């Protein structure tokens, strides 16, 4: 997964993780957001919650990182996202240190 996964912070806390994961998938699939084919989306509990989006190709992750203003729109609300490269390998139950404030 090296170079293909981005860490996403700034997710809404009031929505169920599966809905947030669906919205992240839609956002990062769109070419206008720099997106492309996605291998996996995980929303990890917080506080604060964060997401891991793994793309099929590392080039897509690099395009995502170059775009600075990612905003997730859900139900009329706007959530500014912070997107960074995620380099550490995790077990399925582990929360990345970078999610925690």
């Amino acid at each position: 997964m090296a170079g293909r996964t981005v860490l996403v912070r700034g997710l809404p806390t009031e929505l169920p993780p599966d809905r947030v994961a669906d919205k992240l998938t839609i956002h990062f699939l769109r070419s206008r957001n720099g997106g492309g084919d996605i291998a996996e989306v995980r929303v990890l509990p917080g506080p604060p919650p964060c997401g891991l989006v793994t793309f099929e190709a590392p080039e897509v992750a690099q395009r995502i990182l170059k775009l600075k203003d990612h905003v997730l729109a859900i139900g009329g609300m706007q959530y500014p996202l912070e997107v960074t490269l995620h380099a550490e390998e995790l077990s399925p139950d582990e929360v990345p240190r970078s999610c925690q404030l």
Side-chain angles (χ1 to χ4, degrees):
M1 283 197 228
R4 298 186 304 134
T5 302
V6 296
L7 174 71
V8 183
R9 289 189 276 180
L11 302 179
T13 57
E14 68 276 8
L15 297 174
D18 60 333
R19 182 158 184 226
V20 175
D22 289 345
K23 294 296 184 176
L24 284 174
T25 301
I26 292 166
H27 178 83
F28 288 115
L29 275 171
R30 289 187 173 143
S31 59
R32 72 174 182 218
N33 296 326
D37 292 335
I38 295 172
E40 180 183 26
V41 175
R42 290 174 54 195
V43 175
L44 305 170
C50 66
L52 293 174
V53 181
T54 302
F55 296 95
E56 293 288 337
E59 305 83 53
V60 179
Q62 292 306 311
R63 282 198 313 262
I64 292 291
L65 294 169
K66 286 181 184 175
L67 292 174
K68 297 297 179 194
D69 296 321
H70 289 280
V71 177
L72 192 63
I74 303 176
M77 298 292 294
Q78 303 283 317
Y79 300 93
L81 301 176
E82 179 186 342
V83 181
T84 56
L85 185 63
H86 180 72
E88 60 185 280
E89 292 293 324
L90 295 177
S91 69
D93 298 324
E94 187 178 1
V95 176
R97 290 183 299 275
S98 47
C99 266
Q100 302 160 356
L101 295 177

